[in-house]
Each structure stands twice: as structure tokens, then as C-alpha cells.
Amino acid sequence: MTHYNKLSEVSYNPKITAWRFRVKIHRVYPFYSYVTTSSGPFYTYDLADEDGSKMEMTDYGNHDSLRGLENQEGKWVEIFLVEVHRSYPGFQATNSRFKLTARSNTQVRIIDPLNNRLFMDFKNIHAIPHMDHKERNYPIDTMGVVFNTEAHFDDPERPRMVFYIRDNIDSQIKCVATGKQAYAFWDGFENKLTAMKGGQVIVALKMWRVWKVLNLFGPPDLWLETEGGISGLRFNPHLSEVEDFRQSLLNSDTYVQKYGVEGLV
């Protein structure tokens, strides 16, 4: 019987390359490297195993065994023969001390799902201001009711969508979607408003970066922002956590009690 390693078991040893993992591709995002001779794009894969541990895997080359893998976000895969390296300091997609690197002989095979988890760890809006600087080195997932949207599409090179979300106890936070995510938010939100007959829209934010800037004349400026291709968003996703949040709104929010909240899809 084949033995598979857990991501939580990984340690740094250059002599060991025969790692075997069964993981879900939680997120895929492209990047360009000025170090390699190839122009790219290359891809980073945010992986999660069945225990919920997460780690990045980077592919710097056009390896035949990985061709097309960038289109398999959400799929479960077996990965054989990868290198382990230490993570760089600074902002990272996961809080693992290590990262994986694909090699020319790395093998990947799509498998049946081990479970139906989406591996989104939602942080309450009221807890975000209390995150320390180390926690802000990693993206977060959160959700809230959307209000006060501001579209900034005058500069096609730097589109921005500013909006605010709140929870069921009136905590709120500013959010800034940039680039393609700005248009994705605008289109998705407008479609929801058109389709719904009253109520409010819940958005789930996936892997957004927390920014906190000190202000000499008041409390720190705090907001969430998309980070390249890492970040994503979904309106009213069919998740148990979102359904629990919707029910809490129905129980505590007077506006929602009167007008309702958009059901899950």
C-alpha cells in the first residue's frame, strides 16, 4: 500500500525528494520570474491535504507532467517527487515554514476527492483589527454583507472597486478589489442585485491581504485588498459557514429581519 506524506510532516532535507502527497488544489495563480530564462508565465499552487494543512508548490518550468494543471483548481491530485525548500520571509499565501518546488520528474495525477472541504477558514470581521503583524503576513478568508460600493474605473490600467462589508454585530471593514477582481466584483454584485427581489448580498472573500497603516491623527487605517491572482470572491456561496452567518443575520439584524438576505446558491 502506498504511503502518503502529510503536509504537516514536511521537513527540510535536500537529500529527500521522494515525497508523496494527496492534496486538493485550493488556489492557482500565475507569476513571472526575472531569474529564469523562460518568459513564463509560471504557476504557484496553494495545496491543502485532508487534514487542512496548507503549503505552496511552485512550477518554474514547462514540465510535461504538469501541463494543464493550472486549469485544475478545486481538484484533488497525487503529487510525487518534489523538492522541499524553506519559505521566504514576508507575505506568503500559507503560514507553512516550507514550500514545494516541482522538478522535471515530478508526477501529478488527478484522483477522486478525499472529502468535500473547501478549506476556507473564515475570520470574523471584528477580529481582524486585532491581528498582529505576523498574522498579517498571510491572506485571510472572511465574509460579510456588502454595502457602500464605489467603482473607480476611470483608469483602465488600474481599475479599483471599493466596497464595505459588515457582520451581524455591526463590525465593518473596507475592501479594495483591484485589476480583474475589480470587474469580477462589479459584474457579480450587479448580477445579484438584478436577480434578487430584496434582501442583502453576502460576499465570501478568499485569500485577501490585510493592510494596516499607522495614522498619527487617529486610529490606524485598516482594509482588505486583493493580492494579485491569489485572491478570489464568491457571492452567496453554498457553504455551511455562510448559511450559519445568514441565519445569524436573520436573528440579530433588524434590517435583515424586515427585508431578508439573499439565499445561498
Side-chain angles (χ1 to χ4, degrees), residues 122-126 142-147 164-172 200-205 234-253 256 260-264:
F122 292 105
K123 181 174 287 291
N124 293 326
I125 294 175
H126 63 265
T142 191
M143 72 179 91
V145 175
V146 180
F147 70 102
Y164 295 79
I165 58 174
R166 63 179 179 83
D167 60 16
N168 60 332
I169 57 174
D170 288 333
S171 297
Q172 62 186 53
Q200 296 185 311
V201 177
I202 297 172
V203 64
L205 306 182
R234 296 173 63 182
F235 291 99
N236 299 3
H238 190 66
L239 302 174
S240 59
E241 297 93 337
V242 179
E243 175 59 24
D244 291 342
F245 178 70
R246 190 177 75 90
Q247 290 299 326
S248 72
L249 290 171
L250 291 172
N251 294 332
S252 61
D253 191 303
V256 174
V261 63
E262 178 71 1
L264 306 186

Side-chain angles (χ1 to χ4, degrees), residues 194-214:
T194 301
M196 60 191 289
K197 298 179 180 179
Q200 296 185 311
V201 177
I202 297 172
V203 64
L205 306 182
K206 180 179 180 180
M207 301 182 71
W208 283 49
R209 186 168 187 175
V210 181
W211 286 98
K212 188 174 186 179
V213 178
L214 296 179

Side-chain angles (χ1 to χ4, degrees), residues 40-241:
F42 308 106
Y43 293 94
T44 294
Y45 301 84
D46 182 28
L47 309 175
D49 65 18
E50 56 188 310
D51 293 338
S53 298
K54 295 180 182 179
M55 189 176 295
E56 287 185 323
M57 182 182 76
T58 303
D59 175 22
Y60 287 100
N62 296 318
H63 302 137
D64 290 341
S65 62
L66 273 71
R67 186 165 292 128
L69 190 64
E70 67 275 9
N71 301 318
Q72 302 300 326
E73 185 173 301
K75 297 293 183 63
W76 283 86
V77 296
E78 292 179 338
I79 300 177
F80 305 94
L81 302 174
V82 290
E83 293 181 348
V84 173
H85 298 277
R86 291 189 175 93
S87 296
Y88 299 115
F91 186 78
Q92 301 287 334
T94 73
N95 63 359
S96 174
R97 296 184 297 120
F98 306 103
K99 63 188 305 181
L100 307 177
T101 301
R103 308 187 307 167
S104 58
N105 63 341
T106 295
Q107 299 296 314
V108 178
R109 183 170 68 90
I110 296 175
I111 61 174
D112 293 331
L114 301 184
N115 58 48
N116 60 0
R117 292 178 60 185
L118 292 182
F119 301 104
M120 295 182 72
D121 303 315
F122 292 105
K123 181 174 287 291
N124 293 326
I125 294 175
H126 63 265
I128 296 174
H130 306 291
M131 295 173 61
D132 61 31
H133 69 282
K134 291 183 179 179
E135 292 179 292
R136 296 197 300 273
N137 278 335
Y138 312 107
I140 67 167
D141 306 325
T142 191
M143 72 179 91
V145 175
V146 180
F147 70 102
N148 287 5
T149 60
E150 306 169 9
H152 301 273
F153 296 149
D154 295 338
D155 183 355
E157 298 297 322
R158 301 181 64 185
R160 291 190 312 128
M161 188 73 205
V162 178
F163 59 97
Y164 295 79
I165 58 174
R166 63 179 179 83
D167 60 16
N168 60 332
I169 57 174
D170 288 333
S171 297
Q172 62 186 53
I173 192 167
K174 176 182 176 181
C175 306
V176 181
T178 61
K180 294 180 180 179
Q181 295 290 357
Y183 294 111
F185 177 90
W186 178 254
D187 292 340
F189 186 64
E190 286 295 301
N191 289 338
K192 274 295 174 189
L193 289 179
T194 301
M196 60 191 289
K197 298 179 180 179
Q200 296 185 311
V201 177
I202 297 172
V203 64
L205 306 182
K206 180 179 180 180
M207 301 182 71
W208 283 49
R209 186 168 187 175
V210 181
W211 286 98
K212 188 174 186 179
V213 178
L214 296 179
N215 188 340
L216 295 177
F217 304 100
D221 294 325
L222 183 74
W223 72 94
L224 304 179
E225 188 168 334
T226 51
E227 179 69 19
I230 299 177
S231 307
L233 58 91
R234 296 173 63 182
F235 291 99
N236 299 3
H238 190 66
L239 302 174
S240 59
E241 297 93 337

